[in-house]
Amino acid sequence: GLQYYKNRDYPKAVEYLKKALELNPGNAYAHYYLGATYKDYTEMVDNLAASIKEFEAAIAADQNLIPAYTMLASIYIKQGKFEKAEAICKKAIEANSEDPEPRYYLAESYFHREMYEQAREECKRALRIDPSHAESRHLLTKVNKILEY
């Protein structure tokens, strides 16, 4: 299923990832990649409910699978559900405070809500973890322009 996902053959990826989950329903990575497949594929057909369900299942199976949290947060941000995105990011940070991605998505959500100081602080925290984190650096530049730093 993973290879089909990487090749963007989404219908085949769904088929094989579902088979993997039939064999092992608690497989966090199969849930994660099925969620990612649904996210990438369903963005074209504008239905992310299946993707959300799979990311939630991945988190339930492995609370340390940070990419599942950040993919879920990115969907909520796209949907304008910023409070949900922030709650997911905070749970991810509790699970692993040394990953810059949840801090970046938390900052992005704050940015969309015009909470620029909070966005700035989360970008800085992400960059302390990983100074080369490009998304955080880019968002920090946008925030600083708004705040005129």
Side-chain angles (χ1 to χ4, degrees), residues 53-107:
K53 178 183 162 210
E54 293 304 326
F55 289 131
E56 288 172 343
I59 291 166
D62 182 354
Q63 294 181 348
N64 293 314
L65 188 58
I66 302 304
Y69 291 92
T70 56
M71 292 284 263
L72 191 53
S74 74
I75 292 170
Y76 287 142
I77 290 168
K78 280 187 178 186
Q79 293 178 331
K81 297 178 180 176
F82 303 117
E83 290 83 4
K84 280 188 163 190
E86 290 160 20
I88 290 294
C89 290
K90 289 174 183 177
K91 286 181 184 175
I93 291 166
E94 285 176 26
N96 181 355
S97 63
E98 294 303 309
D99 189 322
E101 287 291 308
R103 294 196 180 278
Y104 163 72
Y105 283 104
L106 183 56

Side-chain angles (χ1 to χ4, degrees), residues 31 34-35 38-39 42 47-56:
H31 281 293
L34 185 55
Y38 283 141
K39 179 181 180 292
T42 59
N47 176 11
L48 295 173
S51 184
I52 290 169
K53 178 183 162 210
E54 293 304 326
F55 289 131
E56 288 172 343

Side-chain angles (χ1 to χ4, degrees), residues 5-24:
Y5 170 74
K6 287 181 178 179
N7 292 336
R8 295 186 172 154
D9 185 348
Y10 299 125
K12 282 279 193 199
V14 168
E15 176 187 341
Y16 280 89
L17 289 164
K18 281 184 172 181
K19 284 180 185 176
L21 287 168
E22 285 174 17
L23 297 172
N24 183 2

